[in-house]
Amino acid sequence: IICTPRNPLAPVMAKITISLLYFCKLRIYLMLEEYLSKISPKGDYNPYQLGTSVSYYSDNFPDLSSKKIALIGITRDDGPLQGCDLIRDEFYKLVTHTHLENSIVDIGNLPAGETPADTHAALLGIASELKNMGLVTILMGTHIDQGESLFKSYVASNKAVEISLISSYLPLLEYQLLHRICSNYSDHLTTLNVLAFQAPFIPTKAIDTLQNLNFGHYRLGSIKNNMEDAELYLRNAAITLFDLNAIKHSDSPGKKEAQPNGLTNDEACQLARYAGLSDVSSFFGLFEYYPEHDLQNVTAKLAAQLIWYYLDGFTARTNDLPNKHDDFLKYRCDLKDNQLPILFLKSKRTNRWWMQLENHHIPCSYADYQKAAAGELSERYLDALKKLH
């Protein structure tokens, strides 16, 4: 109102506003520079490779104003090999996405702090700033616990979000990652999904907690039987945390422990693409890479491809949410025993399905609709009712 043309002070106020915006931008950049270290990508890249289209922090801190995606690594202080740099080198060799040319910025590495708490605090500040700027952040982390800082960036802005964890383990026991999030920040957690976990590694108490809290869960065997349904557990996730331990050793040797079973490399890439396809995804983190165990940089190459497939999903986003557009086919299913009918929505843009429960839109599959059309209740419907009540 102050800067309207009718106001004689408008030109002065406009200059002050521009100065304030520039100051805020400068403050953010100075804060990021304070925490992050410069990088020096290796090699000469061809025009079609990502190394020529990604802006990175080498001399001066890059301008973030026109960017859509930020890449960041976290270094370790217990060895000469830095996993984030090895992944970065492999990532830059991959073919660039035409729709993302000059849209990706690599803001360098966050050096490990004297304690994990120091690293988490710095990462929280960086994640919060990038989120406030509207950038999607891809994190090459070291430990899965660092995912808590990404979640806390939403807590700091008093927003509730959905998280998806891809891991062979369930860190649900006392003091572990998911237990801390559920115990301390339950008001900011809408749903938690866990994918690719393996029964031999899951204590009975963790399974009980999983079921009692009505968390979405899709075990490794289910993924192998029906990969497409895994997308349902990533569609509404603002944060996806990918523990590389979820991938079997023969496909990904660069881990602390060698496990004979797990996701294959192509299954892992498909999950990463599903995560990128989510219209609400703003954080994608890769964790638990140990380069000293990585034969011929196989895991570094796979991690780079996971990032590439996440970006591939990102380029295919269509803002395909029931509250964003009206291009849906709607089907009403009447159930038995006088239960309330269910409204299903099928997107004309992507052919994806949702079911509407009490003004909530729950991702579902065509099979869920078929069951409801036959008068039956699917497990997904019953689980959704439990979460709502």
Side-chain angles (χ1 to χ4, degrees):
I1 295 174
I2 293 176
C3 294
T4 55
R6 296 179 181 178
N7 191 327
L9 295 178
V12 176
M13 297 305 297
K15 290 181 180 179
I16 294 175
T17 302
I18 293 172
S19 298
L20 288 174
L21 292 174
Y22 176 79
F23 174 77
C24 292
K25 175 181 175 181
L26 181 62
R27 183 194 65 80
I28 292 172
Y29 284 14
L30 289 175
M31 188 280 290
L32 293 175
E33 284 188 78
E34 179 183 351
Y35 284 117
L36 298 166
S37 61
K38 301 177 181 179
I39 57 173
S40 300
K42 301 176 182 178
D44 296 324
Y45 302 102
N46 294 315
Y48 58 84
Q49 291 179 309
L50 281 160
T52 61
S53 65
V54 174
S55 303
Y56 54 86
Y57 183 21
S58 58
D59 297 321
N60 299 317
F61 195 81
D63 185 6
L64 307 182
S65 57
S66 62
K67 306 303 180 183
K68 298 178 181 178
I69 297 166
L71 192 68
I72 178 176
I74 298 181
T75 61
R76 294 165 53 189
D77 56 5
D78 58 352
L81 295 175
Q82 295 300 338
C84 53
D85 289 335
L86 294 175
I87 295 172
R88 178 181 282 114
D89 290 340
E90 298 297 340
F91 175 68
Y92 280 1
K93 296 175 186 177
L94 301 178
V95 174
T96 187
H97 291 75
T98 304
H99 299 296
L100 290 179
E101 287 185 358
N102 303 315
S103 296
I104 306 172
V105 58
D106 189 336
I107 58 176
N109 291 332
L110 171 63
E114 293 185 4
T115 66
D118 293 335
T119 306
H120 293 177
L123 179 57
L124 171 58
I126 295 170
S128 297
E129 294 292 0
L130 294 175
K131 182 177 69 65
N132 292 338
M133 295 179 68
L135 274 74
V136 171
T137 301
I138 298 174
L139 173 66
M140 299 173 289
T142 55
H143 195 280
I144 193 65
D145 281 356
Q146 292 160 357
E148 184 175 0
S149 297
L150 304 181
F151 173 70
K152 281 184 176 181
S153 69
Y154 277 93
V155 175
S157 57
N158 199 30
K159 293 182 179 179
V161 294
E162 182 170 320
I163 304 176
S164 290
L165 169 68
I166 302 170
S167 177
S168 55
Y169 302 94
L170 286 181
L172 271 169
L173 299 181
E174 192 171 7
Y175 303 119
Q176 292 183 326
L177 172 65
L178 299 185
H179 183 275
R180 293 196 305 273
I181 290 176
C182 297
S183 300
N184 300 327
Y185 311 103
S186 58
D187 291 343
H188 296 89
L189 183 66
T190 56
T191 304
L192 180 74
N193 305 301
V194 288
L195 297 89
F197 62 94
Q198 300 181 43
F201 303 142
I202 312 303
T204 303
K205 186 176 180 181
I207 290 290
D208 293 340
T209 302
L210 186 71
Q211 295 173 342
N212 292 336
L213 295 176
N214 295 317
F215 288 161
H217 53 283
Y218 206 57
R219 61 194 299 169
L220 177 64
S222 299
I223 289 177
K224 293 186 176 295
N225 290 330
N226 187 353
M227 168 60 77
E228 289 185 2
D229 269 13
E231 184 269 336
L232 304 177
Y233 299 90
L234 295 163
R235 189 182 300 177
N236 288 343
I239 303 171
T240 298
L241 310 177
F242 204 129
D243 181 348
L244 294 175
N245 285 305
I247 306 170
K248 65 179 182 179
H249 177 75
S250 59
D251 284 5
S252 177
K255 298 175 293 189
K256 199 170 186 178
E257 298 180 7
Q259 301 295 349
N261 293 316
L263 295 168
T264 61
N265 48 20
D266 54 328
E267 289 167 344
C269 288
Q270 182 63 68
L271 292 177
R273 189 180 188 280
Y274 285 153
L277 191 61
S278 166
D279 288 298
V280 299
S281 176
S282 59
F283 289 112
F284 180 66
L286 298 176
F287 306 94
E288 306 298 338
Y289 171 45
Y290 286 81
E292 59 268 30
H293 302 302
D294 196 10
L295 181 64
Q296 296 182 322
N297 289 349
V298 170
T299 301
K301 294 176 181 178
L302 177 55
Q305 291 188 25
L306 292 177
I307 297 173
W308 191 94
Y309 276 100
Y310 177 87
L311 295 176
D312 189 56
F314 179 88
T315 61
R317 291 183 184 183
T318 58
N319 206 23
D320 188 36
L321 295 173
N323 60 342
K324 296 296 184 180
H325 68 90
D326 297 320
D327 295 335
F328 289 93
L329 296 174
K330 298 182 179 180
Y331 303 88
R332 170 177 161 157
C333 294
D334 295 315
L335 303 176
K336 301 174 182 178
D337 302 325
N338 297 320
Q339 297 192 55
L340 293 175
I342 308 177
L343 181 65
F344 285 86
L345 295 86
K346 179 185 178 182
S347 172
K348 295 180 183 179
R349 297 181 180 180
T350 62
N351 291 326
R352 294 190 295 186
W353 288 81
W354 284 262
M355 53 184 172
Q356 183 173 313
L357 297 177
E358 301 180 11
N359 295 321
H360 292 272
H361 295 101
I362 312 299
C364 67
S365 65
Y366 176 56
D368 294 313
Y369 163 70
Q370 288 179 307
K371 282 190 175 182
E376 301 176 12
L377 296 177
S378 67
E379 288 188 20
R380 202 179 322 278
Y381 172 81
L382 296 174
D383 289 342
L385 282 181
K386 291 178 183 177
K387 292 177 183 178
L388 292 176
H389 299 289

